[in-house]
Amino acid sequence: MIQRHIFGHVFALEALIAAGVFVVVLALLVYALLRRRAGRQATASRRTERPRLEAYYVAVLTAFGVFLVAWTAWQNHREHHTAERPPVRVDVSSFQWCWTFSYPQAPQRRSASGTCRGDDLPTLVVPTGRPVKLRLTSRDVIHSLWVPELRYKMDAFPDHVNSFTLTLDREGRWMGKCAEFCGLRHHTMHFWIKAVSPEEYHRFLQGQQGGGGQGAAA
Amino acid sequence: MTVAPPTAKEGTGGRPVPPSGWLAWVTSTDHKRIGVLTIATSLVLFLVMGTFALTMRAQLAQPEQHLVSTELYNQLFTIHGSGMIYMVVTPFAIGMGVYLVPLQIGAPGIAIPRLTLLGYWLYALGALVMLAGFATPGGAHADGWFSYPPMADSVHSPGAGSDLWIAGVFLATTGTIVMGWAVLWTGLRKRTHGMTMLRLPVFSWSMIATCLMVIGAFPALLAALGLLAVGRANPAIFEANVWNIGYQHLFWFYGHPVVYVMFFPYLAAVSEVLAVFSGRRFFGYRGTVLSLLVFAGLSMSVWGHHMFATGQATNDYYSLTSIALLVPAGVEYFAMIGTILGGRLRLGPPMLFALAFIPQFLIGGLTGIMLGTPVIDYHVTDSYFVVAHLHYVLFAGSAFGLFAAVYFWFPKVTGVMLGDRAGRLHFWLLVIGTNVTFLPMFALGYLGMPRRVSAYASFEGFGWLNLLSSVGAAFLAASVLVFAVNVLWTLRRRTLGSAERAPDDPWGGHTLEWATTSPPPRLNFTPDHPVPPVTSFAPLLDQRQRREEGAAAGDGSRP
């Protein structure tokens, strides 16, 4: 769940900085409101600018911007660093208005789909502790695969394959959604992502146990 | 009784139509009338788009609610977004420029007045054409304001509403470009004697930067719409990825600069109000001018940050240019805060809106930096977090600037003062409504609510945050109602002659428009109200200071 970790770090830091900046600006505003009111006999300053102070300020802003760009770009690369071990592959095909997950490494071709109506949601089954490479495409319009719990999404285009690698460190089941508006039933285009132990995943691939079929519950 | 002499010509001042009739209004080449037409049209559309938003908030107040069908909901969010961006906030901004720039630079009129009028008509026609989609059997267009293909092609969006949307947005944007050219040309070439570039008021400078972006970036939207139109004739085009992703590039090359087109004029209106109501010169003028130009330049290099999740953009580069924007934005905040810290603040209604703009827009700006960070954007893009962000920028920011501008310049435009107590009520309702409506949306997006959903399941836990947001929307509705009643009531009293007359300069203004009458005469300045000497970007303040100094030196008789 490296995406979730990295998102957590970067979001926390940026939110903290943002809150700090907001508090400083708000404090200056409140100070001006309290102390510079016409009723308090304040006199307006005639100073038109403070170029030296402004230059220092711009330098600080620039340095800060450089840090932010460099640090977050590094985090972004860390997140997309491909693991050494060969990943588990899953092909994801999106369509109006549901998903198909196929497992090209299964002995017999195995795939799960659904209608995304009511409880009929397809389940994407992945093993824990191993990198899983999702190859993402679309049969009609642009969709976007989003698993809020993993703090990650990627768009699915027709005539184009996007891929990204996930690693889940614990077992569980989370909901995924379509994030790109795709028409009438966009708001119900959900799926389940279910992380199981490698042994169970192996059994699943062999077709011995359900879990990827018609919205099998965890 | 003698036969009356033929007086028909007399009342018209020698013109083919009487100047006070509606025909004279809609055919006028007076920049003030074109400006007022543009602003009034956009305010009417603002009310229409607002009712769409209220309908959506009503639907989302509870989980699994279907007050309107999904089809209609999808049309409402599409036309709300398209309407607000293409037909309300952008045209209002340009309309302010059409009205104010010639006055602020001491010119008798606008450059290319007939084309400016054509621009207004293209805009008004475009708005009508887009809204006409609701009258077609399939309803209006339903693919969001950026309408990516292939969803927007004729296979997936077959209705005529989509064609009308393309035509309407194309017309309105063409009109905006024409008006943008007129304002730019006016600011550059029609300045009065002594009005050097570095004596242009902040608002006029912002319009120059704005119009540079209009002429630089808006044609990309026309190209994108053209591509969409071709693709609707032959949907096979959008079977190839290159045109789908190509559309996104073309669209966002327009779509990001337009954000600053919808920001600069309001920021600058706020700056003018802050300076005037602080009783001092705007602080850090040169830094602000430079930052506006840097901002406008950078704005054309950041578009890919809308495409971080496409897997087909150079995320590092767009992140770099996007985060770099914090430097010019920081300079603008430095100037605004500096102005009030050294001021003597008077809290009239325009000032209230301007002061609230500072922290509220900041929330939009700071979350903008977050969205410019790819690892954060992957999670929150296309979620309610983005909806919250853009409404903080455009509503908590620009709309507050818009209202500050309305309260500030209303006396100049109409010659009467806009109700003060209703203004304060409007302000407080708007502050409550804005924050209660849009703050919960950050949390909703973070928790996983996608944007553009007509309903959500009850087990997802979005219920109470959405309810809170809808309660806030009710405050917004009340607030805008107070505003509308205030404006209409004041105008009605003006017709009856019982409204409070506005002096030439009710606020102690700094810029040239306050030196002429309220409302200004046909050619802006007359021998009774000549253009004052332009000694800085705040010539009227200079004049007052010279008088004070003269009085202090015992030379009070000097004019």
Side-chain angles (χ1 to χ4, degrees):
Chain A
M1 294 177 157
I2 185 142
Q3 283 91 353
R4 189 187 160 97
H5 284 304
I6 289 180
F7 173 89
H9 284 146
V10 177
F11 188 84
L13 183 82
E14 288 199 9
L16 207 65
I17 295 169
V21 171
F22 184 76
V23 166
V24 168
V25 170
L26 200 64
L28 292 170
L29 187 68
V30 169
Y31 172 84
L33 271 172
L34 293 178
R35 304 300 297 273
R36 307 297 306 190
R37 292 277 273 274
R40 296 184 62 98
Q41 312 297 325
T43 46
S45 161
R46 287 211 176 179
R47 189 152 195 170
T48 57
E49 53 191 354
R50 298 188 63 171
R52 185 176 286 265
L53 178 64
E54 193 161 8
Y56 285 131
Y57 171 72
V58 167
V60 169
L61 282 181
T62 310
F64 176 67
V66 168
F67 158 73
L68 213 54
V69 170
W71 184 66
T72 60
W74 176 57
Q75 297 294 331
N76 190 26
H77 283 257
R78 210 155 69 86
E79 176 171 310
H80 289 98
H81 182 73
T82 41
E84 298 78 35
R85 283 194 293 167
V88 170
R89 274 183 54 198
V90 182
D91 292 338
V92 181
S93 174
S94 52
F95 56 93
Q96 285 178 323
W97 289 276
C98 213
W99 310 85
T100 302
F101 304 108
S102 358
Y103 303 84
Q105 290 155 327
Q108 263 111 40
R109 187 171 164 70
R110 210 181 149 79
S111 71
S113 192
T115 60
C116 293
R117 282 179 192 276
D119 289 336
D120 184 20
L121 302 182
T123 301
L124 164 61
V125 180
V126 294
T128 54
R130 282 185 63 188
V132 180
K133 186 174 186 182
L134 299 183
R135 290 165 45 83
L136 192 58
T137 188
S138 165
R139 279 180 236 162
D140 36 51
V141 303
I142 301 170
H143 302 273
S144 186
L145 183 142
W146 182 25
V147 185
E149 184 72 13
L150 301 179
R151 310 284 189 258
Y152 198 78
K153 74 167 66 69
M154 189 168 247
D155 294 350
F157 284 76
D159 186 40
H160 178 80
V161 177
N162 269 334
S163 59
F164 66 98
T165 306
L166 284 173
T167 309
L168 287 113
D169 10 280
R170 60 191 160 94
E171 293 179 29
R173 192 182 73 147
W174 302 282
M175 184 169 264
K177 295 174 178 179
C178 176
E180 187 73 63
F181 180 74
C182 56
L184 204 55
R185 290 205 288 114
H186 163 63
H187 64 289
T188 60
M189 193 170 151
H190 301 340
F191 63 93
W192 292 109
I193 177 167
K194 185 179 172 191
V196 297
S197 65
E199 300 75 43
E200 199 181 334
Y201 182 72
H202 183 73
R203 287 200 297 277
F204 163 74
L205 272 197
Q206 303 304 317
Q208 290 164 4
Q209 197 203 336
Q214 300 294 308
Chain B
M1 209 169 172
T2 52
V3 177
T7 53
K9 277 269 169 65
E10 237 163 68
T12 67
R15 299 203 191 105
V17 289
S20 57
W22 67 272
L23 193 59
W25 265 92
V26 300
T27 57
S28 176
T29 51
D30 179 353
H31 72 95
K32 296 181 290 297
R33 288 193 164 187
I34 304 172
V36 169
L37 281 175
T38 308
I39 286 168
T41 307
S42 62
L43 283 179
V44 169
L45 289 168
F46 175 74
L47 298 181
V48 175
M49 302 309 157
T51 57
F52 293 172
L54 292 176
T55 313
M56 290 188 280
R57 277 315 327 160
Q59 165 119 331
L60 293 177
Q62 294 286 306
E64 283 159 41
Q65 217 176 205
H66 290 281
L67 299 177
V68 296
S69 66
T70 300
E71 287 89 343
L72 182 58
Y73 184 92
N74 293 345
Q75 295 168 30
L76 289 178
F77 78 67
T78 300
I79 303 300
H80 168 77
S82 310
M84 282 295 190
I85 290 168
Y86 304 122
M87 324 276 181
V88 176
V89 187
T90 304
F92 190 102
I94 306 292
M96 281 202 294
V98 169
Y99 190 98
L100 288 171
V101 167
L103 283 163
Q104 286 203 327
I105 62 170
I110 196 167
I112 50 172
R114 291 190 189 92
L115 275 176
T116 311
L117 184 65
L118 173 71
Y120 165 73
W121 280 111
L122 288 173
Y123 152 56
L125 183 65
L128 271 181
V129 168
M130 184 184 80
L131 287 172
F134 282 110
T136 64
H141 183 49
D143 189 24
W145 76 283
F146 46 76
S147 284
Y148 289 161
M151 183 59 215
D153 71 15
S154 49
V155 176
H156 301 97
S157 302
S162 300
D163 300 308
L164 290 171
W165 179 86
I166 293 176
V169 174
F170 194 99
L171 286 169
T173 304
T174 308
T176 316
I177 294 174
V178 171
M179 286 197 274
W181 268 112
V183 174
L184 179 66
W185 198 243
T186 307
L188 293 178
R189 300 294 297 155
K190 295 277 177 184
R191 285 168 287 129
T192 189
H193 188 69
M195 179 65 81
T196 61
M197 286 307 276
L198 280 177
R199 288 181 191 162
L200 281 175
V202 176
F203 180 81
S204 290
W205 253 119
S206 85
M207 285 311 305
I208 287 185
T210 298
C211 293
L212 284 171
M213 289 188 290
V214 167
I215 65 171
F218 281 28
L221 175 64
L222 301 185
L225 292 168
L227 173 59
L228 213 49
V230 171
R232 285 183 71 79
N234 175 16
I237 285 176
F238 295 125
E239 284 166 16
N241 178 56
V242 62
W243 293 113
N244 291 327
I245 197 73
Y247 174 90
Q248 296 194 12
H249 280 289
L250 275 175
F251 183 88
W252 291 115
F253 186 80
Y254 152 83
H256 207 78
V258 72
V259 175
Y260 303 129
V261 169
M262 296 187 287
F263 167 47
F264 283 5
Y266 302 106
L267 171 87
V270 163
S271 302
E272 300 266 2
V273 170
L274 289 177
V276 168
F277 282 78
S278 296
R280 66 174 300 199
R281 202 172 300 271
F282 187 66
F283 178 77
Y285 169 81
R286 285 188 301 174
T288 302
V289 168
L290 191 61
S291 80
L292 286 172
L293 291 173
V294 169
F295 220 124
L298 270 176
S299 81
M300 299 204 196
S301 68
V302 301
W303 75 90
H305 71 221
H306 295 270
M307 299 161 64
F308 282 157
T310 61
Q312 302 183 64
T314 318
N315 292 3
D316 289 342
Y317 167 74
Y318 292 113
S319 175
L320 167 81
T321 53
S322 306
I323 292 179
L325 285 171
L326 72 83
V327 177
V331 170
E332 280 153 25
Y333 263 77
F334 181 84
M336 288 196 291
I337 298 282
T339 302
I340 58 171
L341 280 182
R344 181 176 177 276
L345 309 189
R346 291 174 294 147
L347 299 184
M351 185 62 161
L352 292 177
F353 286 98
L355 288 172
F357 174 95
I358 295 176
Q360 292 189 155
F361 181 83
L362 188 62
I363 295 178
L366 292 169
T367 51
I369 306 257
M370 293 182 176
L371 287 165
T373 307
V375 289
I376 295 180
D377 184 83
Y378 298 141
H379 176 47
V380 293
T381 187
D382 278 322
S383 80
Y384 259 79
F385 192 94
V386 168
V387 178
H389 158 74
L390 76 91
H391 283 93
Y392 260 94
V393 174
L394 288 177
F395 201 86
S398 296
F400 274 70
L402 184 154
F403 289 126
V406 169
Y407 282 91
F408 188 56
W409 279 297
F410 191 89
K412 178 54 63 185
V413 175
T414 62
V416 294
M417 302 299 287
L418 189 54
D420 182 273
R421 281 176 53 191
R424 286 168 197 274
L425 179 63
H426 168 208
F427 170 75
W428 287 111
L429 287 172
L430 197 71
V431 168
I432 296 169
T434 300
N435 293 291
V436 174
T437 305
F438 300 119
L439 213 49
M441 291 184 181
F442 284 117
L444 282 170
Y446 188 97
L447 294 174
M449 181 161 161
R451 73 194 285 196
R452 297 174 174 164
V453 290
S454 57
Y456 53 94
S458 47
F459 66 84
E460 293 188 273
F462 302 147
W464 73 272
L465 284 168
N466 271 303
L467 183 61
L468 191 62
S469 175
S470 296
V471 169
F475 277 90
L476 288 180
S479 161
V480 174
L481 195 67
V482 169
F483 170 70
V485 168
N486 193 14
V487 168
L488 294 175
W489 179 240
T490 306
L491 291 177
R492 174 80 192 135
R493 283 178 51 206
R494 184 177 83 136
T495 318
L496 299 174
S498 62
E500 184 192 346
R501 289 277 313 148
D504 294 350
D505 182 7
W507 315 116
H510 294 175
T511 42
L512 295 183
E513 74 270 28
W514 303 108
T516 186
T517 53
S518 301
R522 174 68 181 86
L523 296 177
N524 295 346
F525 298 93
T526 58
D528 293 348
H529 286 81
V531 179
V534 181
T535 42
S536 76
F537 65 90
L540 268 58
L541 184 67
D542 292 344
Q543 210 171 33
R544 277 196 297 275
Q545 287 181 349
R546 278 200 304 277
R547 260 190 225 128
E548 276 167 28
E549 279 155 15
D555 188 18
S557 61
R558 218 168 63 178

